[in-house]
């Protein structure tokens, strides 16, 4: 009788050890998988920040159908992309610039007296935007930097 009890105890112990091993393996896989998932989500968000900003600028440029209406300018020491257009016989300019970590858009007459950067509408998060005329002078190279530090050229 004693031998049977010892055998049942050994069987029970063996089953509990297998179950504990399965449980530990499962927890390890879940923790590794969740860390990888978090990294993938963060990477996708960083990519989206840059792509959305690039798509926004591209759409604004495409909508500007004025010949020679795109140029690089400066407002109070801040570099900006100027998109000129004529509406009802008057000249207007859309300024796109980065201020305090945000891409901003400001629409105003082409000769404003009291233009301030604070008047612009904040569009999305963007750490920096660098503008450079290319050597052919008929294109502008735009380098966007996301708040995460990732950058892309357009």
């Amino acid at each position: 009788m004693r031998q049977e009890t010892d055998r049942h105890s050994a069987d029970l112990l063996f089953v509990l050890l297998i179950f504990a091993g399965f449980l530990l393996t499962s927890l390890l896989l879940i923790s590794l998988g969740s860390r990888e998932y978090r990294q993938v989500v963060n990477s996708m968000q960083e990519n989206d920040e840059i792509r959305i900003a690039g798509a926004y600028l591209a759409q604004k440029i495409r909508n500007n159908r004025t010949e020679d209406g795109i140029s690089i300018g400066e407002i109070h020491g801040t570099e900006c992309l100027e998109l000129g257009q004529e509406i009802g016989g008057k000249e207007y300019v859309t300024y796109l610039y980065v201020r305090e970590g945000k891409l901003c858009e400001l629409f105003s007459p082409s000769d404003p007296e009291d233009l301030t950067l604070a008047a612009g509408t904040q569009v999305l998060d963007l750490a920096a935007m660098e503008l450079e005329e290319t050597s052919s002078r008929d294109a502008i190279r735009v380098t966007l930097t996301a708040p995460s530090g990732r950058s892309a050229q357009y």
Side-chain angles (χ1 to χ4, degrees):
M1 188 76 166
R2 172 100 173 121
Q3 192 175 15
E4 259 183 58
T5 314
D6 288 342
R7 185 172 179 207
H8 288 304
S9 296
D11 289 345
L12 181 62
L13 184 62
F14 180 69
V15 169
L16 287 177
L17 283 174
I18 289 175
F19 180 71
F22 175 74
L23 186 65
L24 287 174
T25 304
S26 298
L27 290 174
L28 180 66
L29 284 174
I30 289 170
S31 70
L32 289 175
S34 67
R35 186 178 58 194
E36 289 298 319
Y37 178 75
R38 222 174 298 127
Q39 288 175 348
V40 168
V41 168
N42 288 341
S43 176
M44 287 175 52
Q45 286 175 337
E46 290 173 1
N47 285 336
D48 285 348
E49 289 174 342
I50 291 292
R51 286 190 321 205
I52 290 171
Y56 181 80
L57 288 173
Q59 189 61 36
K60 285 303 224 179
I61 290 169
R62 284 187 199 113
N63 286 339
N64 185 16
R65 298 173 188 253
T66 307
E67 187 174 328
D68 297 330
I70 302 170
S71 61
I72 298 173
E74 192 173 293
I75 304 172
H76 304 294
T78 300
E79 189 176 50
C80 61
L81 187 62
E82 297 178 352
L83 308 173
Q85 57 188 319
E86 185 178 320
I87 301 174
K90 283 189 79 179
E91 294 289 324
Y92 293 91
V93 178
T94 301
Y95 299 96
L96 297 169
Y97 56 92
V98 174
R99 179 176 183 262
E100 297 176 357
K102 304 281 186 187
L103 176 65
C104 298
E105 177 179 343
L106 178 61
F107 181 77
S108 75
S110 62
D111 56 351
E113 295 86 31
D114 56 350
L115 186 65
T116 63
L117 294 173
T121 303
Q122 294 180 350
V123 180
L124 49 91
D125 293 337
L126 192 64
M129 177 175 69
E130 296 174 21
L131 305 168
E132 175 188 346
E133 286 188 28
T134 60
S135 58
S136 62
R137 302 205 41 94
D138 60 349
I140 296 174
R141 179 177 293 120
V142 179
T143 304
L144 303 175
T145 305
S148 63
R150 182 172 275 178
S151 63
Q153 281 189 347
Y154 297 94

